[in-house]
Amino acid sequence: AQSVTQLGSHVSVSEGALVLLRCNYSSSVPPYLFWYVQYPNQGLQLLLKYTTGATLVKGINGFEAEFKKSETSFHLTKPSAHMSDAAEYFCAVSEVTGGGNKLTFGTGTQLKVEL
Amino acid sequence: DGGITQSPKYLFRKEGQNVTLSCEQNLNHDAMYWYRQDPGQGLRLIYYSQIVNDFQKGDIAEGYSVSREKKESFPLTVTSAQKNPTAFYLCASSNLAGDLYNEQFFGPGTRLTVL
């Protein structure tokens, strides 16, 4: 079974500072990787996804992530944090099952942005 | 507007009662999913369905039941057998189309509280 580890359940940055949220995965096959964002009491919204091809993936709201196979990582970054980035972020890996496309999620990282 | 609707947004239940959470999508997606979210645990898959009249257990199916009588609807029943049902429940859908990496679209969630 595939799994995802998100290091740091809470991350705090100053407004304008670099955002780095870490994600490591385990997979026996080439993975398909996703980052989702969740604002309080809402559903999840896709930020970006890696399937094949270019390892640097750009997403919405200025976020990007780099797939590094040798490190089994898919860390999420944003050069300059904004107050509106405060939310919970989830990394996920896609797994083939007999029933279709199944996502396995990490436990999430709560991002706090301070003035 | 296309999307996923979940109702109600907040639900209160007495111990020993069954309760059904609604999930409807008008995206014409093949697959639908139910997740449970608890603080610090990420999202855990309860049930998923790839086609009408077929569904599979996820990682934490005990105490839950589902049906898929229509493509656009995937209701979840939380039964009295579920030991700790208080949680945030999220419904999602995806268009399989043979692709492993189709993203899942999420509804706004239902917060269930057992009194």
Side-chain angles (χ1 to χ4, degrees), chain B residues 8-85:
Chain B
K9 188 170 179 62
Y10 298 96
L11 188 56
F12 297 90
R13 187 195 96 175
K14 293 182 180 179
E15 278 195 39
Q17 289 181 334
N18 292 355
V19 64
T20 297
L21 282 59
S22 170
C23 177
E24 304 276 333
Q25 55 99 0
N26 61 5
L27 300 168
N28 198 32
H29 283 171
D30 300 303
M32 297 187 73
Y33 311 80
W34 274 106
Y35 294 91
R36 170 182 172 137
Q37 186 177 18
D38 297 281
Q41 296 194 48
L43 277 72
R44 293 181 290 168
L45 184 63
I46 305 173
Y47 269 98
Y48 59 106
S49 167
Q50 186 180 6
I51 58 173
V52 173
N53 293 323
D54 186 51
F55 45 83
Q56 288 77 40
K57 293 182 179 180
D59 302 317
I60 56 166
E62 185 176 353
Y64 299 97
S65 66
V66 293
S67 63
R68 186 89 186 275
E69 297 177 359
K70 299 185 295 183
K71 185 176 183 178
E72 59 270 21
S73 178
F74 192 41
L76 173 73
T77 297
V78 185
T79 75
S80 57
Q82 168 51 233
K83 301 289 185 223
N84 184 21

Side-chain angles (χ1 to χ4, degrees), chain A residues 34-93:
Chain A
F34 304 79
W35 275 101
Y36 283 86
V37 61
Q38 184 182 35
Y39 298 99
N41 292 311
Q42 295 185 26
L44 276 67
Q45 179 184 6
L46 182 71
L47 275 178
L48 49 81
K49 64 182 179 183
Y50 168 78
T51 56
T52 58
T55 56
L56 183 62
V57 180
K58 294 187 183 300
I60 62 171
N61 301 338
F63 285 93
E64 61 183 34
E66 186 171 11
F67 170 62
K68 292 187 177 181
K69 184 178 179 180
S70 61
E71 299 177 7
T72 61
S73 69
F74 190 56
H75 302 330
L76 182 70
T77 61
K78 182 174 180 177
S80 177
H82 191 271
M83 295 297 289
S84 61
D85 295 327
E88 189 157 23
Y89 292 80
F90 292 93
C91 183
V93 61

Side-chain angles (χ1 to χ4, degrees), chain A residues 32 36 38 41 94 96 101, chain B residues 33 37 100-102 104 111:
Chain A
Y32 296 94
Y36 283 86
Q38 184 182 35
N41 292 311
S94 186
V96 180
N101 176 18
Chain B
Y33 311 80
Q37 186 177 18
L100 176 64
Y101 45 81
N102 279 300
Q104 291 185 14
R111 187 166 297 281

Side-chain angles (χ1 to χ4, degrees), chain A residues 10-11 43 61 83 97 106 112:
Chain A
H10 291 81
V11 170
N61 301 338
M83 295 297 289
T97 71
K112 182 178 179 182

